[in-house]
């Protein structure tokens, strides 16, 4: 299974990615801003999704259409 970012670049476990859009986090009042660097991503076995941690939210699942490889 290949997981690709918004530009079509393949993502691997441990990569760093950057958000290309402000995202509201469900269940919290947090918003993760565009340009936020997310380090050490994990592929979760579902195409189009990755797991990661940010300073504000732990255990976050993001769609790859809102990411680009850093």
């Amino acid at each position: 299974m290949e997981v690709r970012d918004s530009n079509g670049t393949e993502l691997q476990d441990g990569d760093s990615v950057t958000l290309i859009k402000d995202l509201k986090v469900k269940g919290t009042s947090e918003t993760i801003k565009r340009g936020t660097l997310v380090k050490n991503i994990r592929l979760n076995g579902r195409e189009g999704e990755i797991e990661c941690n940010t300073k504000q939210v732990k255990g976050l699942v993001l769609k790859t259409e809102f990411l680009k490889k850093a």
Side-chain angles (χ1 to χ4, degrees):
M1 178 191 66
E2 293 181 353
V3 178
R4 297 189 177 273
D5 69 2
S6 61
N7 295 329
T9 307
E10 191 171 349
L11 298 174
Q12 302 291 329
D13 278 339
D15 283 347
S16 295
V17 294
T18 305
L19 269 64
I20 60 171
K21 181 180 176 182
D22 287 358
L23 298 175
K24 292 185 180 180
V25 180
K26 283 186 178 180
T28 70
S29 60
E30 295 290 329
T31 299
I32 301 175
K33 299 291 184 181
R34 187 177 121 236
T36 301
L37 180 67
V38 179
K39 297 179 181 177
N40 198 20
I41 66 168
R42 294 177 306 280
L43 305 182
N44 62 4
R46 283 178 280 197
E47 197 165 329
E49 292 183 355
I50 57 128
E51 294 179 2
C52 61
N53 292 324
T54 63
K55 291 180 182 175
Q56 300 99 338
V57 183
K58 306 294 181 213
L60 190 61
V61 175
L62 296 175
K63 292 192 175 205
T64 57
E65 64 192 74
F66 303 119
L67 307 172
K68 69 177 181 177
K69 192 168 182 178

